[in-house]
Amino acid sequence: MLSRTPEDVATQASAAPDLPVLDAEISDCFACPRLVAWREEVAVTKRAAFRDQTYWGRPIPGMGPSDAAIAILGLAPAAHGGNRTGRIFTGDRSGDVLIAAMHRAGLANQSTSVSADDGLAFAHTRIFAAVRCAPPDNKPLPVERDTCAPWLHREVSLIRPTLRVVVALGGFAWAAWWPILKQVYGLSAPVPRPKFTHGAHVSMPGGPDLLGCYHVSQQNTFTGRLTPAMLDDVFDSAKQLAGLA
């Protein structure tokens, strides 16, 4: 069933009984006109290097097992990455960096993420984004973030029994976590609210640990602001907190 309004999103997300149903509902969301127009425009105009490919051009569901102990929360799909391939952190430089780090940590079965049929699988980890459609300039509007939030809240609630650690990639994902904490766990954010920094760690009884990590964008990885060693440290901490190390 297509989701065309924020009310549709809230209703369908809350009713999804499992991740496969939720993933299918997410893929048929048309609730944010600006994002729908942009994702579809990109899928038609394409990037020259991918002009012979058929773009996905739809929202991107999460990926990973239903009993994940670690969740990685990102911002939104890339226009020529996930929006092209149909899988989160796939087919772009950000995905190259993230998946390579997960493979080093033993959380992914291979070090590359090229296409939706390349055999990539995650161990103990699920990845999803705060906003499921590629936004112009990688900047979702607040109303788009809020409209998309029920998908995220339901996804966390479905993996809540096993979830122990959340890695927030960047300040946008960090900010998106606090409504989840309230909606899914019934917990209020600490006052004052912890600020996002790389390596930040927030532990709250009754909820998963939260780790901050600079986003794996080219602006961070190409400039050396985020290095492979820094990513390895974050995943080492996540595994220890999740009881996987």
Side-chain angles (χ1 to χ4, degrees):
M1 179 178 177
L2 299 181
S3 300
R4 296 195 178 275
T5 68
E7 292 75 20
D8 289 341
V9 173
T11 298
Q12 292 172 26
S14 64
D18 53 35
L19 288 174
V21 171
L22 183 71
D23 291 348
E25 296 279 12
I26 289 170
S27 297
D28 277 336
C29 187
F30 290 79
C32 297
R34 189 183 78 113
L35 297 186
V36 172
W38 174 250
R39 80 194 191 202
E40 293 180 353
E41 177 185 343
V42 170
V44 172
T45 59
K46 305 182 181 180
R47 178 173 285 171
F50 308 125
R51 61 181 176 274
D52 296 330
Q53 298 185 19
T54 299
Y55 275 52
W56 171 256
R58 297 165 65 185
I60 309 299
M63 178 183 176
S66 60
D67 59 350
I70 298 171
I72 300 174
L73 176 57
L75 192 165
H80 302 282
N83 190 59
R84 172 174 61 89
T85 63
R87 194 175 71 189
I88 193 166
F89 282 110
T90 299
D92 61 13
R93 294 293 180 87
S94 295
D96 292 343
V97 173
L98 179 64
I99 303 307
M102 292 179 65
H103 183 252
R104 291 194 300 273
L107 300 175
N109 68 329
Q110 61 190 43
S111 61
T112 57
S113 181
V114 178
S115 64
D117 60 356
D118 62 7
L120 176 65
F122 298 146
H124 312 294
T125 307
R126 187 164 178 89
I127 301 182
F128 37 67
V131 174
R132 304 307 172 105
C133 294
D137 300 319
N138 292 320
K139 294 180 179 178
L141 300 176
V143 66
E144 294 162 350
R145 173 202 62 202
D146 295 343
T147 297
C148 209
W151 298 129
L152 179 58
H153 296 171
R154 183 57 180 158
E155 191 158 7
V156 173
S157 72
L158 288 170
I159 64 174
R160 176 180 175 176
T162 58
L163 184 60
R164 299 293 176 264
V165 184
V166 175
V167 178
L169 297 178
F172 191 97
W174 183 268
W177 173 249
W178 307 112
I180 301 171
L181 192 66
K182 181 67 174 179
Q183 181 71 23
V184 177
Y185 292 89
L187 299 172
S188 297
V191 179
R193 184 173 295 183
K195 294 182 179 180
F196 170 77
T197 59
H198 181 83
H201 177 200
V202 179
S203 181
M204 293 188 64
D209 286 76
L210 177 65
L211 296 176
C213 178
Y214 288 143
H215 196 279
V216 287
S217 65
Q218 293 183 51
Q219 292 93 326
N220 290 330
T221 58
F222 280 17
T223 61
R225 188 181 190 214
L226 178 64
T227 66
M230 292 166 67
L231 271 172
D232 291 346
D233 287 344
V234 169
F235 284 125
D236 284 347
S237 295
K239 290 173 60 179
Q240 291 176 11
L241 291 167
L244 299 175

